[in-house]
Amino acid sequence: VVVGPHLRQGRSGQWGQSGVVAADAEQRLAVGGQHDGVRAVFAAALFSATPSQAQPTARFGVWDNSTNPNNVMTYEPFEKGGSKLTVSNPSKPGDEWSYVTFFDGQFRPVAGQPGSETAVEVIDDKSIRILNKRDGVVYQVVINTLSEDNNTINNEYIRMDKDGKITGVTHVTYNRRKK
């Protein structure tokens, strides 16, 4: 069920759903074998975001994709209260992209991906919502959830067409690299 297919920017400059409702995404997640907790996080993430200053620092470090050794995320501090995410491929040094955020929902350019921008908002003390835009169109929402022990990140990638209709949902787990 799609109530209204578009993401919209509010007066504050933050982005939110104008109705790509969790029912369709929930159904797709259920078909993919995901559990109720993922659906609950996804539904909550679509509709709410609240500021939290303590949360971003828990992500600082290097994170390895559990199924693809050529996909590594590195979170590091950026200026006051911000974070920089770099995604790299160890088998291709220099083949990376990155963005910075202050977790304020504002779109900022993605280095290494011409025409791309990313906006990040805090959902709660463990989850963030990441909106990816290419050539002015939001094509993906990522719900990034940190485990209770802060050593695992679960990402739900929700892909959308140009009208905001959900076209696919995938899941990736990242494990904190041990020092």
Side-chain angles (χ1 to χ4, degrees):
V1 177
V2 176
V3 173
H6 301 287
L7 286 165
R8 63 178 174 75
Q9 188 172 22
R11 289 186 189 134
S12 69
Q14 293 186 347
W15 283 78
Q17 293 289 338
S18 64
V20 175
V21 178
D24 184 45
E26 246 183 67
Q27 181 179 4
R28 291 173 190 274
L29 284 170
V31 169
Q34 301 298 324
H35 55 81
D36 288 338
V38 171
R39 289 195 311 260
V41 167
F42 175 70
L46 282 178
F47 299 108
S48 64
T50 57
S52 170
Q53 294 305 318
Q55 196 225 45
T57 61
R59 284 182 171 71
F60 293 160
V62 179
W63 300 83
D64 296 309
N65 183 313
S66 66
T67 60
N68 180 357
N70 292 318
N71 181 246
V72 176
M73 297 190 307
T74 302
Y75 284 90
E76 57 190 316
F78 181 79
E79 295 183 1
K80 184 173 171 49
S83 179
K84 178 181 180 183
L85 170 72
T86 302
V87 177
S88 61
N89 179 346
S91 67
K92 294 183 182 177
D95 184 19
E96 62 187 40
W97 54 270
S98 64
Y99 64 82
V100 298
T101 184
F102 292 96
F103 304 95
D104 56 6
Q106 298 297 312
F107 278 97
R108 292 181 175 83
V110 177
Q113 291 186 353
S116 295
E117 297 177 278
T118 295
V120 182
E121 297 175 303
V122 173
I123 297 169
D124 60 27
D125 65 334
K126 292 289 183 181
S127 300
I128 56 176
R129 174 177 43 217
I130 305 161
L131 296 123
N132 293 318
K133 185 164 59 169
R134 185 172 293 132
D135 298 324
V137 177
V138 173
Y139 68 93
Q140 184 179 66
V141 177
V142 182
I143 307 305
N144 172 298
T145 305
L146 189 61
S147 64
E148 288 300 316
D149 68 1
N150 292 337
N151 288 316
T152 303
I153 291 177
N154 287 295
N155 277 353
E156 303 303 325
Y157 296 88
I158 302 100
R159 289 175 308 287
M160 298 176 290
D161 66 16
K162 63 181 170 56
D163 296 319
K165 181 170 173 32
I166 295 172
T167 60
V169 178
T170 55
H171 174 86
V172 175
T173 299
Y174 290 87
N175 298 309
R176 185 184 297 276
R177 187 176 290 173
K178 305 295 180 208
K179 294 181 182 185

